[in-house]
Amino acid sequence: MAGVSGPERRYRYVGPAELTALVRPEAAGRVVRSAADLDDWLAQCARAERAEPFTYVVGTDGRLRLAARRSEHVVCAGGRDVLAAGEVRFEHGSGCWTAVEISNQSTGYCPDLDSWPAVARALDGAGVGHPGGFTHAVVFRRCEQCGERAIVREGDFVCVFCGGDLPARWNVAP
C-alpha cells in the first residue's frame, strides 16, 4: 500500500461512550519498542493466548501497544487518539517475531486502510517482521442518511441499517 500523503490521520474513539469508563492508566496496552519487549510480554501470556490475535493500537507517538484479544481498543490506547488499531497475531521463527495476521478491525476507532504505514513503521521500529499490508482489511464508513457506522462487505457500499449509499471516502469521524 502506498504511503500516506500529508500528515498522518489521527483516529479518535467513536465507539460506545460507556467503554471509556474502563480507561485507566494501569489498564493501557503494553508498549512494544523492541523485539525483546515483545518477547517479555508474550512470555507472560498463556500459551493459548499467544495462539490468538491480540488487540493493538499505534499511539500518536508511533509506538505499538498490545493487550489481550478481548480488550477494548480505547482501553489499550489509554483513551487517546491513535494512528492505527486492530488485531495482530505473531509467530516466532528463524530467531525473530513476525506479525503473520494483522487487521485494522477496531469498531471503536474504525481506522481506514491508510493506517497501514503507521502499523508498518511501529513494527519495523520494534524489529518485528510483517506481511507488508493488512492480511484482513476492513472498510469502515458512516452512513450519511442514518448516521450509523458500517462495515463495507465485498465492495458493496450500502448501509446494512437503512439501505442508503455509503460514501467512497472514509468519513467515520467528523
Side-chain angles (χ1 to χ4, degrees), residues 5 9 36 43 49 65 86 115 118 124 128 130 137 168 171:
S5 60
R9 182 181 313 187
E49 190 178 14
R65 287 184 174 271
S115 63
D124 289 343
V128 177
H130 57 79
N171 70 334

Side-chain angles (χ1 to χ4, degrees), residues 29-30 32 38-57 64-73 76 85-91 97-106:
R30 171 79 175 264
V32 176
L38 184 57
D39 265 332
D40 291 344
W41 188 69
L42 290 173
Q44 297 171 28
C45 297
R47 183 182 192 102
E49 190 178 14
R50 287 191 308 263
E52 290 188 331
F54 293 96
T55 293
Y56 81 86
V57 298
L64 180 69
R65 287 184 174 271
L66 296 173
R69 181 179 197 179
R70 287 159 189 83
S71 300
E72 296 296 336
H73 287 95
C76 185
E87 292 189 342
V88 60
R89 188 174 66 81
F90 299 100
E91 286 184 1
W97 288 105
T98 301
V100 294
E101 293 177 17
I102 192 158
S103 75
N104 64 318
Q105 186 169 344
S106 168

Side-chain angles (χ1 to χ4, degrees), residues 68-172:
R69 181 179 197 179
R70 287 159 189 83
S71 300
E72 296 296 336
H73 287 95
V74 69
V75 174
C76 185
R80 295 182 180 93
D81 290 354
V82 300
L83 301 178
E87 292 189 342
V88 60
R89 188 174 66 81
F90 299 100
E91 286 184 1
H92 194 269
S94 302
C96 64
W97 288 105
T98 301
V100 294
E101 293 177 17
I102 192 158
S103 75
N104 64 318
Q105 186 169 344
S106 168
T107 56
Y109 285 98
C110 301
D112 200 16
L113 303 179
D114 67 1
S115 63
W116 172 254
V119 177
R121 278 192 303 279
L123 291 168
D124 289 343
V128 177
H130 57 79
F134 292 121
T135 58
H136 178 70
V138 180
V139 176
F140 295 99
R141 295 295 186 268
R142 182 179 43 80
C143 179
E144 294 174 345
Q145 289 181 21
C146 71
E148 292 288 339
R149 291 181 313 276
I151 293 175
V152 174
R153 300 194 189 279
E154 299 178 11
D156 190 14
F157 284 76
V158 174
C159 178
V160 297
F161 301 102
C162 74
D165 290 336
L166 296 173
R169 296 185 63 150
W170 186 88
N171 70 334
V172 175

